Amino acid sequence: MGDFESLSEATSGAIGSLLSTTILYPLDTCKTKYQAEVRAHGQRRYRHLSDVLWEAISNGQFLSLYQGLGTKNLQSFISQFVYFYGYSYFKRLYLEKSGSKKIGTKANLLVAAAAGACTAIATQPLDTASSRMQTSAFGKSKGLWDTLTEGDWSNAFDGLGISLLLTSNPAIQVGVTGFIKEILRLKLKLLKGNQASLSAFTAFLLGALSKSIATCLTYPAIRCL
């Protein structure tokens, strides 16, 4: 039963990730192309982020803003499963080795970071490929294999160091979520007894709050990507 619930949760998370990635992908492409040009320090074609969008629209290439979407969605889907099962595995291993019945906030952060590191290593080539596709000229994007085989394979892991640093983002998110959730459950237990549980809306707000805190703390590293 536990494995089925784990699979169900991982699948739900993966589907939600695919949906949000697809909806926001044109904006992500605009941001990636704009940042790539800023880093190049050459003659700039885009003065503002919106210039990328207007160029695509004026040239009838709006759908090119979705180039690399398949690769990005594949990365998101794999990331959800690798991270979720990695987290479950490391958490179970910690509980077995420590003999504890529950995991504390600090241990939770370490477990989440370990799962995040495994996820970063497993999906970095896909992240590199999707970035290359996004920054290629509109309508000139290559396929996944051709993109990955540009240069040697070590190039596919460009940015892995920063990605590993950013594993602290989900670790912080999970830690903050667990900490606040425990406080809320204790308060609800005092008010409503043992049957108290968090509502779906409260869980949503908790997730949004923890993600915001994690992003604020890791934003300098995000800017390095």
Side-chain angles (χ1 to χ4, degrees):
M1 183 66 178
D3 290 339
F4 177 78
E5 290 179 355
S6 297
L7 179 62
S8 176
E9 290 181 16
T11 302
S12 299
I15 293 174
S17 178
L18 292 180
L19 181 61
S20 62
T21 298
T22 300
I23 293 173
L24 298 174
Y25 195 75
L27 294 178
D28 187 53
T29 297
C30 290
K31 182 200 72 173
T32 303
K33 289 180 75 70
Y34 177 76
Q35 289 180 336
E37 188 177 75
V38 169
R39 292 193 193 100
H41 299 297
Q43 184 177 359
R44 294 181 60 178
R45 186 171 55 193
Y46 308 125
R47 294 297 175 183
H48 306 283
L49 187 64
S50 58
D51 292 342
V52 185
L53 177 62
W54 298 131
E55 181 188 39
I57 294 175
S58 61
N59 293 334
Q61 295 281 354
F62 179 77
L63 291 181
S64 292
L65 292 174
Y66 284 94
Q67 57 194 25
L69 175 61
T71 301
K72 179 65 80 173
N73 274 339
L74 178 61
Q75 179 206 356
S76 297
F77 194 81
I78 293 175
S79 293
Q80 285 289 328
F81 276 93
V82 173
Y83 183 82
F84 184 84
Y85 279 105
Y87 177 80
S88 297
Y89 171 77
F90 289 124
K91 180 180 179 181
R92 184 169 63 251
L93 186 65
Y94 169 82
L95 293 176
E96 290 176 356
K97 296 295 183 180
S98 66
S100 303
K101 293 185 178 180
K102 60 184 297 186
I103 187 169
T105 302
K106 291 182 179 179
N108 206 17
L109 286 171
L110 292 175
V111 166
C118 291
T119 303
I121 294 171
T123 61
Q124 184 61 42
L126 292 175
D127 184 58
T128 300
S130 65
S131 295
R132 289 177 180 173
M133 291 175 181
Q134 286 179 311
T135 55
S136 62
F138 288 130
K140 302 294 184 180
S141 176
K142 299 179 181 179
L144 174 58
W145 180 253
D146 290 336
T147 303
L148 281 175
T149 52
E150 289 180 355
D152 56 52
W153 273 96
S154 63
N155 292 336
F157 288 90
D158 284 346
L160 179 59
I162 296 296
S163 295
L164 289 175
L165 179 60
L166 285 175
T167 58
S168 59
N169 187 295
I172 293 171
Q173 183 180 352
V174 169
V176 171
T177 299
F179 178 73
I180 298 177
K181 186 182 292 184
E182 190 64 27
I183 293 176
L184 290 176
R185 281 177 174 169
L186 287 174
K187 289 187 175 181
L188 286 173
K189 189 174 181 180
L190 290 174
L191 293 173
K192 300 182 180 180
N194 293 328
Q195 300 300 318
S197 60
L198 297 180
S199 66
F201 182 67
T202 301
F204 170 77
L205 291 179
L206 178 58
L209 175 62
S210 60
K211 181 63 176 177
S212 298
I213 293 174
T215 299
C216 288
L217 293 176
T218 59
Y219 191 71
I222 294 173
R223 291 289 295 166
C224 292
L225 287 175

